[in-house]
Amino acid sequence: MPTSPRIEQLRQDLAGGPVDGVLARFWAEVALTGTPLIEPYDEDQRLVTFLWKEERPVETVAVIGGPALWWEIPGNQLERLDGTDVWFRTYLVWADHRGRYVLSPDDSLEPLAVAGTPEAVARASTFVPDPFNRSPFTLPGVAGDPVSPPQHFSTFALDQATPRDWCAPRAGVRRGVIREETVTSDVLGNERTVWLWESAVQGPEPALLVLLDGRDWNEALPIFPTLDNLVDAGELPPLVAVLPDSVDFATRARELPCNQGFLRLLTDELLPWARKVTGATSDPRRTVIAGKSYGGLASVYAGLRRPDVFGTVIAQSGSFWWSPPDEEPEYLLRQVDRELPVRFCLDVGLQEGDWMIPQTQRLADALEGYADEVLYREYNGGHDLNCWLAELPSELRWAFTG
């Protein structure tokens, strides 16, 4: 484990006593500066130290997230400083890292169960955000869905991470109009909330953005200030954004992965409705579909199947490992077999594992031979909405101005 200068200084201070006073001063400093502790190492790397203050006896404390990869939980245990209430673990991290994490006191150190299962929900209920962290983040979950409870995280961004300059509301920026509607789908036989945003800057036949998983972008990390800022600054054209909700965990897992019915919902129901209400364009060259995770998979599928509707695709951390039951992995890769007048942006996080990165690279390479343009991007982070929000502005600029 790398060595934190601040922890080494604490060891020395404790050796000189008195212990209670040294610890009180240390925790007061932590409360003032916030966590994780970030210290210099060299031009490109930083020391990042996660802390836990022991309020009751615990056998283990693990950090999950950020540089502490979730599939390596046994190796992410914090160490207790002997005779104190200080638990710590230090990582050497590239200075462009952005991440979210939780702490898990008395963690079982077992591998995480499959997301959405009762076992995974029960395990996650024992995770806690870092009480000294100053950048909390909550995924709100879905009311009434037992496998989609709210999730509370802590976040950090090192000094060279992609800035989130566009994300906060700005004084003097003209704000778009947001409508929240309930839309019934005859194709799918269900209903969902859809958010419809129109930029304050007007123009004939505004460009059109479809952004999947609308609830996340509306409630967890609202996208609308980002869109307001980009359009007001002239970085994006006059724009309409359609954000359909994914209903619940089971519906999302059924509808987003390469589902022809969901694609028909978009092309035959939502987009005609949005165009009728707003006068948005029907030109595929000015129509962009964007999604994350399963939504990234669905977005690329939409571009492959309906290039007459979607001329540009943004897929953030797409779940390109997916295949129907009893088929080989990477189903979508095998669907790239004809020339397409479509531009694709595929991004992936460097903390997403040795399967996500190669799968994304393979799909990008396959698309190169058939698509109008392919932009492959890597960022230093995980499967994380905080990262996706930071990366999306430059990807939207590429999508609408290329």
Side-chain angles (χ1 to χ4, degrees):
M1 182 168 61
T3 300
S4 160
R6 184 63 188 91
I7 295 299
E8 290 308 301
Q9 182 63 55
L10 177 60
R11 290 184 195 273
Q12 296 176 24
D13 292 345
L14 289 167
V19 171
D20 290 346
V22 169
L23 290 175
R25 288 191 296 273
F26 173 75
W27 287 118
E29 175 190 324
V30 169
L32 184 65
T33 60
T35 49
L37 299 182
I38 299 170
E39 299 170 284
Y41 183 78
D42 60 23
E43 183 177 349
D44 298 317
Q45 297 177 96
R46 307 291 179 263
L47 293 165
V48 177
T49 301
F50 297 92
L51 296 170
W52 175 259
K53 184 178 182 181
E54 185 177 274
E55 305 285 359
R56 62 173 179 81
V58 293
E59 294 298 321
T60 63
V61 182
V63 56
I64 302 172
L69 302 176
W70 58 265
W71 57 90
E72 297 178 356
I73 290 177
N76 293 325
Q77 298 179 68
L78 276 62
E79 174 186 335
R80 183 178 178 180
L81 199 56
D82 288 343
T84 76
D85 57 1
V86 178
W87 291 73
F88 69 96
R89 185 171 187 87
T90 301
Y91 293 83
L92 184 60
V93 179
W94 294 106
D96 58 352
H97 189 105
R98 178 185 297 276
R100 71 179 183 187
Y101 67 98
V102 291
L103 295 167
S104 183
D106 278 330
D107 191 83
S108 68
L109 305 180
E110 295 294 325
L112 295 182
V114 175
T117 61
E119 295 80 9
V121 173
R123 177 82 176 277
S125 70
T126 67
F127 300 160
V128 295
D130 185 342
F132 293 102
N133 180 269
R134 293 184 165 187
S135 301
F137 166 64
T138 297
L139 282 173
V142 179
D145 184 3
V147 298
S148 297
Q151 300 176 64
H152 306 284
F153 300 92
S154 303
T155 72
F156 68 95
L158 300 187
D159 55 287
Q160 295 179 23
T162 303
R164 284 184 17 191
D165 295 343
W166 296 100
C167 302
R170 297 180 179 180
V173 166
R174 294 164 287 182
R175 297 184 181 181
V177 175
I178 305 168
R179 311 183 198 189
E180 182 177 325
E181 304 282 353
T182 299
V183 174
T184 300
S185 170
D186 294 331
V187 172
L188 294 173
N190 58 17
E191 65 178 30
R192 72 196 63 226
T193 301
V194 177
W195 291 270
L196 186 66
W197 175 90
E198 296 180 70
S199 63
V201 179
Q202 298 293 307
E205 292 196 344
L208 184 55
L209 168 66
V210 177
L211 187 56
L212 304 180
D213 285 318
R215 185 171 301 278
D216 286 347
W217 294 108
N218 181 65
E219 295 182 359
L221 284 174
I223 191 65
F224 301 122
T226 299
L227 298 178
D228 288 333
N229 294 336
L230 288 168
V231 174
D232 194 75
E235 298 287 334
L236 295 181
L239 184 63
V240 169
V242 182
L243 289 76
D245 188 20
S246 296
V247 185
D248 55 34
F249 187 92
T251 303
R252 182 176 187 270
R254 182 177 64 251
E255 290 184 350
L256 292 190
C258 303
N259 185 310
Q260 184 65 28
F262 182 76
L263 182 55
R264 287 181 56 204
L265 160 74
L266 298 178
T267 60
D268 300 351
E269 295 179 324
L270 284 187
L271 292 192
W273 165 74
R275 290 177 180 129
K276 181 178 180 181
V277 171
T278 66
T281 186
S282 59
D283 182 354
R285 294 171 298 177
R286 302 175 59 235
T287 303
V288 176
I289 183 168
K292 57 182 179 59
S293 193
Y294 269 161
L297 180 72
S299 297
V300 174
Y301 180 77
L304 294 176
R305 288 287 186 263
R306 294 300 303 270
D308 59 313
V309 177
F310 302 108
T312 302
V313 171
I314 298 172
Q316 297 187 294
S317 300
S319 300
F320 302 132
W321 49 265
W322 180 89
S323 276
D326 302 321
E327 288 200 28
E328 292 295 316
E330 299 183 64
Y331 166 85
L332 198 60
L333 183 66
R334 301 190 293 277
Q335 311 311 306
V336 183
D337 58 5
R338 62 193 174 101
E339 291 189 6
L340 296 162
V342 182
R343 302 163 67 230
F344 292 87
C345 171
L346 311 182
D347 78 20
V348 65
L350 297 177
Q351 309 300 318
E352 294 197 79
D354 292 339
W355 65 95
M356 289 283 288
I357 296 172
Q359 288 167 359
T360 306
Q361 290 172 332
R362 283 192 290 271
L363 182 58
D365 290 343
L367 288 167
E368 282 280 3
Y370 296 94
D372 274 0
E373 183 181 354
V374 178
L375 176 63
Y376 172 79
R377 305 179 72 240
E378 294 177 347
Y379 61 86
N380 192 358
H383 204 73
D384 184 351
L385 190 58
N386 289 278
C387 296
W388 298 325
L389 182 63
E391 302 300 325
L392 189 58
S394 64
E395 295 170 353
L396 288 173
R397 292 198 299 269
W398 168 85
F400 284 107
T401 60

